[in-house]
């Protein structure tokens, strides 16, 4: 920046701003630049404005104005995640004032409702797998019977189980099936 412009007469300063006094403009801009670099933001500088974008495509701008003996630093979100923008905005405004930036994670936590739903889905999958194993055991038990019609019923059941579940022969455990089919006395 060559010179920081004064606040325009009819300009409304947003809520996300700080005033910095007793400091040179070069110090403020270097603090903000360092903060942007630490957070690995993509930045395009244009006069007194820095257009920033995060890796998750949250876009916001940082503006600096001069107002008498002090400077005003303002952050405005343009689009994207408001939570991410809020965290970065606070870090940038703290940096502009010269405060130590708090180490905050920008990772998003997964809501409990989504975690609960995923756990329920995993439980359903486990129950389905146990039911499939039980069905296969029952079909193999029928195949091992002496009567021919019962064996045919067992084979039919095994075909139905694999067809309904879209189980390919390759995905079945050959050890599991072979102990019932191949080890039978002839």
């Amino acid at each position: 920046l060559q010179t920081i412009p004064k606040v325009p007469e009819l300009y409304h300063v947003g809520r996300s701003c700080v005033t910095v006094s007793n400091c040179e403009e070069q110090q403020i801009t270097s603090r903000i630049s360092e903060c942007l670099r630490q957070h690995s933001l993509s930045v395009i500088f244009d006069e007194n404005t820095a257009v920033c974008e995060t890796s998750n495509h949250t876009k916001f701008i940082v503006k600096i104005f001069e107002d008498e003996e002090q400077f005003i630093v303002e952050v405005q979100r343009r689009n994207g995640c408001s939570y991410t923008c809020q965290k970065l905005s606070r870090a940038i405004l703290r940096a502009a004032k010269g405060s130590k930036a708090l180490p905050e994670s920008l990772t998003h936590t997964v809501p409990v409702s989504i975690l609960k739903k995923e756990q329920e889905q995993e439980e359903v999958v486990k129950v389905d797998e146990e039911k499939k194993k039980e069905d296969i055991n029952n079909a193999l038990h029928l195949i091992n019977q002496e009567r021919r019609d019962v064996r045919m019923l067992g084979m039919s059941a095994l075909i139905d189980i694999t067809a309904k579940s879209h189980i390919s022969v390759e995905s079945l455990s050959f050890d599991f099936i072979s102990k019932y089919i191949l080890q039978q006395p002839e």
Side-chain angles (χ1 to χ4, degrees):
L1 287 175
Q2 293 179 356
T3 59
I4 296 177
K6 296 203 178 291
V7 179
E9 191 173 317
L10 298 176
Y11 185 79
H12 175 72
V13 178
R15 290 181 8 183
S16 297
C17 69
V18 293
T19 56
V20 182
S21 54
N22 301 326
C23 191
E24 296 293 320
E25 61 187 62
Q26 189 62 31
Q27 277 184 305
I28 298 170
T29 56
S30 65
R31 288 176 191 160
I32 293 171
S33 296
E34 180 62 22
C35 181
L36 297 174
R37 187 191 63 73
Q38 286 176 350
H39 287 90
S40 302
L41 300 175
S42 169
V43 183
I44 299 172
F45 293 99
D46 182 32
E47 294 183 17
N48 67 323
T49 304
V51 180
C52 308
E53 184 174 358
T54 66
S55 59
N56 67 355
H57 304 291
T58 299
K59 294 180 183 177
F60 59 94
I61 60 171
V62 180
K63 289 186 174 186
I64 304 174
F65 296 107
E66 186 178 355
D67 187 33
E68 297 177 11
E69 299 286 322
Q70 61 187 5
F71 296 97
I72 298 173
V73 178
E74 175 186 34
V75 179
Q76 295 177 353
R77 181 174 67 96
R78 290 298 182 218
N79 61 28
C81 178
S82 59
Y83 178 77
T84 300
C85 186
Q86 179 189 33
K87 294 295 180 185
L88 290 170
S89 173
R90 288 178 179 171
I92 292 165
L93 296 176
R94 276 194 304 270
K97 289 181 88 170
S99 301
K100 295 286 183 187
L102 298 176
E104 293 194 27
S105 172
L106 291 177
T107 58
H108 298 286
T109 57
V110 178
V112 175
S113 60
I114 293 174
L115 287 175
K116 188 175 182 180
K117 188 174 182 178
E118 288 176 357
Q119 288 173 347
E120 289 171 357
Q121 288 174 346
E122 289 174 3
E123 289 173 8
V124 167
V125 168
K126 287 179 184 177
V127 169
D128 285 347
E129 287 177 7
E130 290 173 10
K131 176 127 177 57
K132 286 177 192 174
K133 284 184 179 181
E134 182 181 337
D135 290 346
I136 291 171
N137 276 330
N138 290 338
L140 293 174
H141 176 72
L142 291 173
I143 291 171
N144 291 324
Q145 298 299 313
E146 288 184 26
R147 291 182 40 194
R148 184 174 189 271
D149 60 335
V150 176
R151 286 184 185 175
M152 295 298 288
L153 183 62
M155 285 195 235
S156 177
L158 189 58
I159 290 170
D160 286 344
I161 293 167
T162 57
K164 286 180 185 174
S165 304
H166 301 291
I167 299 174
S168 65
V169 175
E170 293 82 19
S171 68
L172 289 174
S173 171
F174 286 112
D175 294 332
F176 178 70
I177 295 174
S178 66
K179 77 177 183 179
Y180 290 101
I181 296 177
L182 299 176
Q183 296 177 358
Q184 294 301 314
E186 305 254 347

